[in-house]
């Protein structure tokens, strides 16, 4: 089954080995390592080969440091870096489930100048093989091939550099419409054809080497088997094609002309007008679909539901419009107004449909007839977009940075940099966590935004440092305006001011009484320390007030940020 040798054999449980293996299916030469009795067979150290029973095998190997070369019958089979460092040990021959006769064993010190092969492509000769005249000739041919290959590579790189400079000069002259363009183009074309000759020479050198290598590969009887014969035929055809290609390249190199391959596409100074023609075709009264799609999107953003519900599939495969006449009238009006969106926005927001109340109980009759509000008997309430939620928190506290334009901001700075949300990076892999919880815009889909109502949104408003810090900031501002007293009049003034600032409406009498009770009975109920980390993300940067009464006001403002009316547009 296996016949081989141990080297660096410290004991029976620690050694490294090289061996030949045969069984009913496969044969191979390979290396393995034994450490504390555990054996490993790295894939890199296994090479399938043709080893037959009852035949003599010559196994040569050189090991220096952790580098290992193995030859089988004079042919390099393994170039391997051993994972186990070498240790001083014994040498042993062995077999496993096999009978073997050893005819000769030599252990020799490798000459200092001998270089181990770094890859199988080097096809390095074993230092233990006495070279024959044929072998030396083959190695000489191999060295001459690599020398010619290197020389051609140098010539090609120099020719590529010269051609690149010539193409740049010709391209610049063409763009500038200089009189020297024709001369520079002729030079670039000539260098291009010369480079084609060098590339063809390199291909020919490769093809000749492949034919010589295939012919030199014969078995011990000197007869090429069927596989090698097929390889010789294939490589001979490749050689003939390479010679023909070189002849063609040489013939073309003798021609004159200013044709060359420019570095890139050179665009004319004047437009072809194709994009303008496409735009005019899209925005044309004879193509009303564009206008219908546009007004459907605008309507969707104002009324929270589109006239054609399937905004991403506007056509025969989508749903029919709920109000087809309205859609047609809006589309015609949009085109008559010169395809301008501002007049269309004004038309919609000034309509009686848009100015309907959001209260669901305005008409029980309407609710029973049209529970889905298909005919807009009331305005659809909707939740703020994620970006508006964040910006509204900052705006109500007076801390929103309205600086215009500039580069995009890193999404991780969303709770410390108070610029508007649209300036923060938003990619499929980089999203601000706070905005993501509130269904921020999807950069891969622009048709409509997915809207969800999940517990994590309430937790974000309760626990995020953004909401907490702005609540503390706003509470301090309102206390400065209405006073810090704890009497009923001052407390009621604070409550009404907080409701107007955050919810844009006064507190009802019931809400006012509930909030007053909270301020009077729960002073400083939530005691949080500066720089406390919160589950919603971030770290609070603004310390809670040391005054328990003011801290209770901060908590009340914080609660109002979590109020449903704050995140709902009516």
């Amino acid at each position: 089954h296996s016949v081989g040798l141990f080297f660096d054999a410290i004991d029976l449980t620690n050694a490294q080995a090289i061996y030949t293996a045969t069984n009913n299916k496969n044969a191979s030469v390979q290396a393995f390592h034994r450490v504390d009795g555990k054996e490993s067979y790295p894939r890199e150290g296994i090479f399938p080969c043709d080893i037959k029973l009852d035949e003599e095998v010559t196994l040569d190997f050189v090991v220096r440091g952790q580098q290992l070369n193995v030859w089988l019958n004079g042919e390099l089979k393994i170039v391997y870096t051993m994972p186990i460092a070498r240790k001083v040990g014994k040498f042993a021959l062995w077999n496993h489930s096999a009978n073997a006769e050893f005819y000769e064993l030599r252990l020799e010190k490798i000459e200092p100048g001998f270089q181990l092969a770094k890859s199988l492509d080097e096809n390095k000769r074993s230092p233990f093989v006495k070279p024959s005249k044929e072998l030396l000739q083959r190695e000489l041919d191999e060295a001459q091939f690599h020398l010619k290959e290197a020389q051609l590579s140098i010539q090609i790189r120099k020719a590529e550099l010269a051609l690149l400079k010539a193409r740049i000069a010709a391209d610049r002259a063409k763009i500038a419409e200089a009189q020297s363009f024709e001369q520079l183009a002729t030079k670039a074309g000539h260098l291009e054809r010369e480079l084609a000759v060098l590339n063809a020479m390199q291909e020919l050198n490769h093809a000749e080497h492949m034919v010589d290598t295939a012919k030199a590969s014969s078995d011990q009887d000197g007869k090429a088997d069927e596989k090698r014969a097929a390889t010789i035929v294939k490589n001979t055809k490749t050689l003939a094609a390479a010679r023909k290609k070189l002849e063609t390249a040489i013939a073309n190199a003798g021609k004159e002309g200013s044709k060359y391959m420019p570095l890139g596409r050179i665009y004319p100074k004047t437009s072809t007008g194709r994009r303008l023609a496409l735009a005019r075709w899209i925005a044309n009264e004879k193509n009303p679909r564009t206008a219908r799609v546009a007004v459907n999107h605008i309507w969707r953003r104002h009324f929270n539901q589109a006239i054609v519900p399937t905004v991403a599939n506007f056509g025969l495969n989508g749903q029919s419009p709920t109000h087809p006449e309205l859609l047609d009238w809006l589309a015609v009006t949009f085109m008559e107004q010169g395809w301008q969106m501002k007049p269309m926005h004004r038309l919609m927001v000034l309509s009686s449909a848009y100015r309907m109340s959001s209260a669901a109980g305005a008409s029980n009759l309407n609710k029973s007839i049209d529970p889905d509000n298909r005919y807009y008997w009331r305005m659809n309430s909707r939740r703020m977009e994620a970006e508006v939620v964040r910006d509204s928190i900052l705006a109500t506290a007076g801390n929103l940075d309205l600086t215009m334009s500039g580069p995009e901001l890193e999404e991780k700075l969303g709770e410390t940099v108070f610029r508007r949300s649209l300036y923060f990076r938003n990619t499929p892999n980089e999203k601000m966590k706070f905005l993501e919880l509130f269904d921020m815009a999807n950069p891969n889909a622009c048709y409509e935004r997915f809207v969800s109502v999940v517990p994590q949104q309430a937790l974000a408003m309760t626990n995020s440092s953004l909401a907490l810090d702005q609540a503390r900031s706003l509470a301090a501002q309102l206390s400065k305006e209405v006073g810090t007293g704890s009497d009923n009049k001052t407390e009621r003034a604070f409550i009404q001011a907080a409701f107007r600032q955050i919810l844009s409406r006064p507190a009802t009498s019931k809400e006012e009484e509930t909030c007053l009770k909270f301020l009077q009975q729960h002073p400083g109920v939530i005691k949080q320390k500066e720089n406390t980390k919160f589950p919603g993300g971030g770290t609070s940067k603004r310390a809670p007030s040391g005054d328990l009464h003011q801290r209770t006001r901060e908590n009340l403002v914080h609660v109002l940020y979590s109020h449903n009316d704050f995140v709902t547009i009516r």
Side-chain angles (χ1 to χ4, degrees):
H1 187 278
S2 301
V3 181
L5 52 91
F6 278 130
F7 62 96
D8 298 347
I10 300 173
D11 50 40
L12 294 177
T13 59
N14 292 275
Q16 306 205 65
I18 304 167
Y19 68 99
T20 59
T22 58
N23 55 37
N24 295 331
K25 296 181 179 180
N26 302 309
S28 63
V29 56
Q30 59 190 72
F32 87 89
H33 315 280
R34 181 182 292 171
V35 179
D36 296 331
K38 185 177 181 180
E39 297 178 352
S40 61
Y41 300 81
R43 183 178 298 274
E44 299 82 2
I46 301 175
F47 187 89
C49 55
D50 186 17
I51 300 176
K52 298 179 181 179
L53 296 176
D54 301 322
E55 288 188 0
E56 184 176 329
V57 172
T58 301
L59 188 68
D60 297 341
F61 82 98
V62 176
V63 58
R64 176 179 286 158
Q66 289 179 237
Q67 301 301 313
L68 174 68
N69 285 183
V70 180
W71 292 262
L72 181 69
N73 295 329
E75 185 176 354
L76 183 63
K77 292 296 185 182
I78 294 178
V79 175
Y80 175 55
T81 300
M82 298 183 296
I84 308 299
R86 296 193 63 193
K87 296 181 180 180
V88 177
K90 300 177 181 178
F91 183 90
L93 300 176
W94 57 270
N95 59 17
H96 172 68
S97 299
N99 294 319
E101 293 183 39
F102 292 92
Y103 296 119
E104 182 182 8
L105 172 66
R106 299 205 315 267
L107 297 177
E108 298 181 7
K109 184 176 181 179
I110 301 301
E111 295 297 329
F114 180 78
Q115 298 294 324
L116 278 76
K118 297 181 180 179
S119 70
L120 291 174
D121 295 335
E122 293 185 31
N123 197 23
K124 182 179 286 290
R125 171 168 47 90
S126 168
F128 307 111
V129 175
K130 293 182 180 179
S132 62
K133 181 179 180 181
E134 291 78 8
L135 182 59
L136 290 174
Q137 183 62 47
R138 190 185 308 171
E139 292 181 352
L140 176 61
D141 294 340
E142 185 78 15
Q144 289 176 338
F145 161 73
H146 288 294
L147 175 62
K148 188 175 181 180
E149 177 76 6
Q151 292 172 338
L152 284 171
S153 295
I154 293 173
Q155 290 179 314
I156 288 173
R157 298 300 171 265
K158 289 182 178 180
E160 287 176 342
L161 178 60
L163 175 59
L164 178 62
K165 293 179 179 179
R167 290 167 71 188
I168 291 174
D171 285 354
R172 286 176 173 172
K174 185 174 183 179
I175 294 172
E177 298 181 355
Q179 295 181 353
S180 60
F181 168 69
E182 195 68 25
Q183 180 182 356
L184 293 172
T186 300
K187 180 180 179 181
H190 178 69
L191 292 174
E192 197 171 89
R193 292 187 290 273
E194 284 188 345
L195 177 61
V197 172
L198 292 174
N199 285 326
M201 291 175 64
Q202 189 176 52
E203 287 188 29
L204 179 62
N205 188 43
H206 274 286
E208 290 175 342
H209 180 66
M210 289 170 61
V211 172
D212 293 341
T213 301
K215 289 181 178 180
S217 300
S218 60
D219 57 14
Q220 294 179 353
D221 297 330
K223 298 178 181 179
D225 57 19
E226 294 182 1
K227 185 176 180 180
R228 291 191 177 95
T231 301
I232 292 173
V233 172
K234 179 182 177 182
N235 292 347
T236 302
K237 291 181 179 179
T238 303
L239 176 60
R243 284 173 177 166
K244 186 175 181 179
K245 184 175 181 179
L246 177 59
E247 293 173 359
T248 303
I250 293 174
N252 291 335
K255 298 178 182 179
E256 294 294 333
S258 59
K259 185 178 181 180
Y260 75 100
M261 180 67 69
L263 281 176
R265 185 174 180 181
I266 300 177
Y267 295 92
K269 288 187 175 181
T270 58
S271 172
T272 60
R274 291 181 297 174
R275 287 178 294 176
L276 179 60
L278 175 62
R280 286 173 174 169
W281 175 81
I282 293 173
N284 192 296
E285 292 183 0
K286 295 181 180 180
N287 182 26
R289 172 171 292 185
T290 305
R292 288 161 59 85
V293 170
V295 297
N296 189 57
H297 273 279
I298 297 174
W299 186 275
R300 163 73 176 80
R301 281 153 179 77
H302 284 306
F303 289 88
N304 201 33
Q305 64 183 40
I307 300 174
V308 178
T310 52
V311 293
N313 193 357
F314 194 101
L316 295 177
N317 293 330
Q319 296 181 27
S320 300
T322 57
H323 302 74
E325 295 85 358
L326 174 61
L327 180 64
D328 291 341
W329 181 80
L330 289 172
V332 171
T333 303
F334 182 53
M335 291 185 288
E336 290 176 347
Q337 292 174 340
W339 301 79
Q340 297 183 47
M341 290 191 177
K342 186 176 290 186
M344 182 55 57
H345 285 295
R346 184 183 298 111
L347 176 65
M348 291 184 183
V349 299
L350 293 179
S351 66
S352 59
Y354 183 82
R355 290 181 290 168
M356 288 287 186
S357 171
S358 298
S363 172
N364 291 329
L365 178 60
N366 287 340
K367 186 175 182 180
S368 61
I369 296 175
D370 182 19
D372 296 328
N373 194 31
R374 185 182 180 90
Y375 295 101
Y376 301 100
W377 55 270
R378 62 176 174 85
M379 170 53 69
N380 292 309
S381 60
R382 59 187 176 91
R383 198 201 63 210
M384 287 180 180
E385 292 88 348
E387 296 82 357
V388 180
V389 173
R390 176 183 174 276
D391 291 358
S392 296
I393 293 174
L394 294 169
T396 53
N399 294 322
L400 181 63
D401 185 352
L402 297 177
T403 303
M404 300 292 288
S405 70
E408 67 176 7
L409 303 174
E410 190 176 357
E411 72 285 352
K412 297 178 181 179
L413 303 176
E415 295 194 3
T416 55
V417 177
F418 297 154
R419 293 285 301 280
R420 294 173 62 196
S421 300
L422 63 89
Y423 291 113
F424 288 88
R425 186 182 297 124
N426 179 17
T427 70
N429 297 323
E430 299 167 307
K431 301 177 182 180
M432 190 191 303
K433 186 64 177 177
F434 184 88
L435 297 182
E436 188 176 12
L437 290 171
F438 285 91
D439 308 317
M440 66 189 303
N442 183 353
N444 292 330
C446 61
Y447 298 106
E448 59 181 332
R449 186 177 299 204
F450 175 77
V451 179
S452 66
V453 179
V454 294
Q456 289 88 335
Q457 294 165 356
L459 291 172
M461 295 297 289
T462 302
N463 297 329
S464 77
S465 61
L466 179 73
L468 185 60
D469 289 345
Q470 299 312 306
R472 291 171 177 172
S473 176
L474 179 56
Q477 297 174 39
L478 295 179
S479 295
K480 188 175 181 180
E481 293 176 7
V482 303
T484 57
S486 58
D487 57 282
N488 284 358
K489 183 179 179 180
T490 306
E491 297 288 45
R492 291 180 188 277
F494 179 87
I495 293 168
Q496 291 295 342
F499 266 76
R500 287 191 177 92
Q501 184 69 11
I502 298 174
L503 305 183
S504 301
R505 66 170 178 82
T508 64
S509 57
K510 184 177 180 180
E511 289 172 334
E512 184 179 302
E513 293 300 325
T514 302
C515 293
L516 181 62
K517 183 178 179 181
F518 173 77
L519 292 177
Q520 293 175 342
Q521 296 183 6
H522 301 278
V525 65
I526 302 177
K527 298 180 180 179
Q528 293 157 334
K529 297 180 180 180
E530 186 177 3
N531 293 332
T532 301
K533 292 188 176 180
F534 297 93
T539 302
S540 175
K541 302 300 181 183
R542 186 183 182 94
S545 174
D547 180 78
L548 295 182
H549 176 252
Q550 181 61 23
R551 188 178 300 180
T552 308
R553 286 186 171 186
E554 294 173 354
N555 295 335
L556 175 62
V557 173
H558 190 200
V559 169
L560 291 181
Y561 275 132
S562 298
H563 199 292
N564 183 58
D565 285 354
F566 177 71
V567 295
T568 303
I569 298 177
R570 300 187 186 280

